[in-house]
Amino acid sequence: MEHQRIDVPQSAASIADACEERSAPRFTLLIRSAKLVAPTGEFICVIRDVSESGVSLRGFHALPVGEPLFLELQTGERHEIAAIWGRGYEAGFRFVNSVDVARLVAEVGCFPKRQLRLGMAFPIELMFLGRRIAAEILNVSQQGARIACAEILAIDQPVRMASANFPEVRARVRWRRNGECGVVFDDTFTLAQLAIFAAQLQQPDLLTDPECASAARR
């Protein structure tokens, strides 16, 4: 069934007014990135549209299935969802619990909006000053990563990072605390690159499309 589309209001108040005027209105959201948390891991998706009853998502590969599933926004808010339909890289879901659509569209949350971080733990090798040391990535975003490392690294220390599961990147240490440190990549990932890398590491069978498989090898 074709949904009625309306322009996204500019404020939470105007969104609330629109909700009162229509029954479960559908707001079109263009390229609103989010995170789909599945039993097999965390995956990047894009919210296409949303209403009080549900949401449609598009992935950079086939979307994971299973229960439970959660949609996590860039503000840190998380909503449990259940799959209704799927078609290619797109899928529709219903909200398991009631959702404040005005709050969701206005991106109001417990935390300030920030880049998506994927919680993926895997071993990594750090290379600097002619040395190679073992470390572990704890989470990764387009711009950087949080790593666990027994070595005390200097702030602004340049390093190279690589492993069998991770392309070699150059980065700099930005903070350190309790055996962990944060690094910022010199060359950032595109959203699509990070999405495909995450799928390759956590659930490779999602990359069944030849275009995805080609991108994963680059």
Side-chain angles (χ1 to χ4, degrees):
M1 180 174 66
E2 185 175 352
H3 299 289
Q4 187 174 16
R5 295 160 65 116
I6 64 173
D7 293 333
V8 178
Q10 297 300 311
S11 67
S14 58
I15 293 172
D17 291 339
C19 288
E20 291 178 358
E21 293 173 1
R22 298 171 184 242
S23 175
R26 182 164 294 273
F27 299 94
T28 299
L29 304 179
L30 300 177
I31 315 179
R32 180 72 60 84
S33 57
K35 185 167 66 174
L36 186 59
V37 183
T40 51
E42 300 185 353
F43 304 88
I44 291 175
C45 62
V46 174
I47 300 176
R48 299 299 299 273
D49 54 55
V50 62
S51 73
E52 292 178 355
S53 58
V55 62
S56 67
L57 307 176
R58 179 173 176 83
F60 295 89
H61 47 71
L63 292 172
V65 295
E67 295 181 354
L69 287 173
F70 296 92
L71 179 66
E72 184 173 314
L73 310 178
Q74 288 178 275
T75 57
E77 285 212 336
R78 181 178 285 198
H79 303 283
E80 187 173 359
I81 56 178
I84 300 297
W85 59 265
R87 181 175 59 250
Y89 292 178
E90 297 186 8
F93 302 84
R94 65 174 177 84
F95 291 117
V96 173
N97 303 301
S98 61
V99 171
D100 186 337
V101 177
R103 182 183 176 92
L104 191 155
V105 174
E107 296 184 296
V108 177
C110 301
F111 305 100
K113 182 181 175 180
R114 64 178 186 177
Q115 278 210 331
L116 296 170
R117 290 171 170 81
L118 300 180
M120 301 186 299
F122 56 93
I124 197 81
E125 189 174 54
L126 300 182
M127 295 159 278
F128 62 97
L129 301 176
R131 302 177 57 200
R132 292 173 175 263
I133 63 172
E136 183 181 26
I137 284 187
L138 302 177
N139 67 38
V140 62
S141 70
Q142 288 178 256
Q143 295 185 336
R146 179 166 63 93
I147 65 176
C149 177
E151 189 88 4
I152 299 178
L153 302 176
I155 301 298
D156 287 332
Q157 170 72 56
V159 297
R160 287 184 297 134
M161 307 167 56
S163 78
N165 299 317
F166 196 72
E168 183 172 319
V169 295
R170 296 179 183 274
R172 287 184 177 273
V173 177
R174 282 291 178 260
W175 59 265
R176 61 173 186 262
R177 182 174 57 251
N178 300 326
E180 297 180 0
C181 63
V183 299
V184 175
F185 302 140
D186 289 351
D187 297 312
T188 60
F189 291 105
T190 67
L191 196 64
Q193 287 172 332
L194 183 60
I196 291 175
F197 164 69
Q200 183 182 39
L201 181 66
Q202 300 174 109
Q203 192 178 345
D205 65 313
L206 296 177
L207 303 174
T208 55
D209 187 282
E211 183 179 344
C212 281
S214 176
R217 291 192 293 269
R218 290 199 291 268

